Amino acid sequence: MTTTDDWDVVVVGAGPAGSITALAALHERPGARVLLLDRADFPRDKSCGDGIAPHVLDVLDAVGASDVAADLRREHRAIGTLELALGDLSSTREMCRPALVIPRERLDARLVEAAVAAGAVLRRHRVRDVQVEADGVVADGEIRARVLVGADGAQSQVRRSLGRTLPGRLALGLRGYAPTPSSRVGRQVIRFAQDRQPSYAWAFDRGDGWSNVGYGEILRDRRDRRDRRDRPTHALMRERLEDLLPGSTEGAQSWRGHHLPLSTAGWGSVQPDGRVLLVGDAAGLINPMTGEGIYYAAVTGQVAGRTAARADEGGDPGRLYRSEVRRRLRANLVSTAVGGKVASHPFVLAAGLRAAAADQRVFDDLVELGLGPGRLTPRVVAGLVRHAR
């Protein structure tokens, strides 16, 4: 097969996972030939809750993009107050490490710019086919890579080309932007539903007069045809959002829906051996407790970029990548899988809110579990038992 392009690393998808992959590869091996492919031009909107945990900025520091992390911290106000609620129960506390709320249109464009400034080449191209060969990977019969990274989202064409399916459940989310009412200025608010469990509505103040608002719920079973009939419509999701957070849809615009492939404790089955690496949503890495995915995108992008840059040093890239991701995320993935299951029971969720309201340390542990690399700590388990009713 004759190809026209030869690259050390080809990254399909230039969202946070893809751009951080490129940054990590170039940080590990300056001068590497790195190609970023995306089907869209930037800036472009992307459906997301827009919450950026501080751990993501830590990863940017680690891949040589400290200037980007500093710019983001300076340009966007940190939101430290988190309010969690279920019915009449609520827990409102300050997070030990405040988060940023950055529209993906801005975040993704900034990360792409950083990757290009570091030496990556950005090209608009929609990948439709991936063929694995003995010494490389060929995309669409013309773009060859020593290692190809699939960072092309929940509906990843790269993953499909490999014949890989995701073992976890799907969630469905709807996001919009609405003016921030005075009662929610400086707050990230999550209100869990008491029916249609597990589901919740959110309103995250961006700090510029607008909030990211939305509603999401886990679908019963992607393989169950009855589940397809029961899936909520956009109209129903907006109605549910308004019921849970009154006034949050007033003046709202830019509604976008999205699917979220939720992670499982057995994530490693998704990643094959060989020269194709799957990162972020394409790897089915979305926190099943919160729907958070940017942290996983950053971590897997960092590991994938380093692994791809070292491909010439020997060893199977897919196996090395899978091993390192497991080392870094296994405890978290097991904990979130367990947490996602037990939190579907309202009495467990209520006990968690009481425990968080009673103890800042429990609150901090739960935030770390939901937004970063945290795990179910003995303190959290003891708090659940103590506050169960």
Side-chain angles (χ1 to χ4, degrees):
M1 179 180 294
T2 301
T3 58
T4 58
D5 282 332
D6 287 282
W7 301 85
D8 296 314
V9 182
V10 170
V11 185
V12 182
S19 291
I20 291 174
T21 297
L23 284 165
L26 289 160
H27 184 63
E28 186 69 25
R29 185 182 158 197
R33 296 166 299 160
V34 178
L35 177 64
L36 261 177
L37 301 174
D38 201 283
R39 63 184 182 179
D41 288 325
F42 289 80
R44 55 97 175 96
D45 190 17
K46 194 77 171 179
S47 183
C48 181
D50 294 343
I52 308 301
H55 312 81
V56 175
L57 303 184
D58 295 342
V59 172
L60 291 179
D61 288 333
V63 298
S66 296
D67 56 337
V68 179
D71 288 346
L72 294 175
R73 292 185 181 101
R74 182 175 61 254
E75 295 167 2
H76 300 274
R77 188 178 73 186
I79 306 297
T81 304
L82 175 61
E83 177 184 337
L84 305 172
L86 171 70
D88 294 332
L89 290 173
S90 67
S91 174
T92 303
R93 287 186 176 274
E94 294 298 311
M95 293 184 283
C96 62
R97 296 187 68 192
L100 302 177
V101 181
I102 308 174
R104 288 286 300 278
E105 185 173 10
R106 300 178 193 170
L107 176 68
D108 292 17
R110 187 68 184 87
L111 294 179
V112 166
E113 290 173 1
V116 171
V121 174
L122 175 65
R123 183 184 301 171
R124 184 173 182 179
H125 179 92
R126 182 170 189 166
V127 171
R128 301 181 183 277
D129 178 67
V130 172
Q131 295 294 325
V132 179
E133 299 183 348
D135 59 348
V137 185
V138 179
D140 295 335
E142 61 182 12
I143 303 170
R144 176 181 289 276
R146 293 190 61 78
V147 176
L148 183 140
V149 179
D152 49 340
Q155 305 300 322
S156 172
Q157 185 59 37
V158 173
R159 187 186 65 239
R160 292 179 179 181
S161 294
L162 298 177
R164 294 279 164 158
T165 58
L166 299 177
R169 300 176 69 183
L170 280 175
L172 184 63
L174 180 68
R175 178 232 71 190
Y177 290 114
T180 304
S182 58
S183 61
R184 296 190 189 127
V185 170
R187 292 192 172 208
Q188 295 190 57
V189 181
I190 295 175
R191 179 168 288 276
F192 299 95
Q194 294 178 290
D195 58 348
R196 294 186 74 97
Q197 283 287 349
S199 61
Y200 69 82
W202 72 82
F204 298 159
D205 179 20
R206 296 187 342 194
D208 61 357
W210 290 82
S211 288
N212 180 307
V213 299
Y215 170 82
E217 67 177 61
I218 296 179
L219 305 178
R220 268 208 321 259
D221 188 337
R222 74 169 81 194
R223 296 162 296 186
D224 190 337
R225 292 183 179 180
R226 293 172 300 173
D227 180 53
R228 298 176 187 175
R229 295 195 297 269
D230 291 340
R231 294 183 182 185
T233 63
H234 281 201
L236 176 61
M237 296 175 81
R238 289 195 296 270
E239 180 181 322
R240 298 280 296 172
L241 169 59
E242 184 63 28
D243 288 343
L244 289 166
L245 291 173
S248 57
T249 64
E250 184 175 351
Q253 59 189 34
S254 302
W255 294 106
R256 292 179 71 97
H258 59 294
H259 286 97
L260 299 92
L262 304 180
S263 61
T264 68
W267 166 80
S269 63
V270 177
Q271 173 59 50
D273 292 349
R275 293 179 176 270
V276 178
L277 313 179
L278 299 172
V279 298
D281 291 12
L285 286 170
I286 298 287
N287 190 311
M289 295 179 61
T290 61
E292 201 285 333
I294 302 294
Y295 168 70
Y296 292 141
V299 169
T300 55
Q302 178 188 16
V303 176
R306 287 177 173 175
T307 303
R310 295 173 177 172
D312 289 337
E313 298 176 11
D316 182 282
R319 193 174 305 161
L320 293 170
Y321 167 72
R322 184 174 60 241
S323 176
E324 180 62 11
V325 170
R326 279 176 169 165
R327 186 188 70 79
R328 293 187 59 169
L329 294 180
R330 176 179 288 172
N332 173 266
L333 293 177
V334 171
S335 293
T336 56
V338 172
K341 288 182 180 179
V342 300
S344 64
H345 302 286
F347 72 91
V348 176
L349 190 55
L353 289 180
R354 294 189 195 99
D359 190 333
Q360 177 73 45
R361 297 171 302 171
V362 172
F363 179 89
D364 292 340
D365 287 351
L366 288 172
V367 169
E368 190 76 357
L369 179 62
L371 299 182
R375 61 191 69 187
L376 278 173
T377 62
R379 184 162 47 217
V380 168
V381 174
L384 291 173
V385 173
R386 186 179 306 116
H387 291 275
R389 294 178 185 175

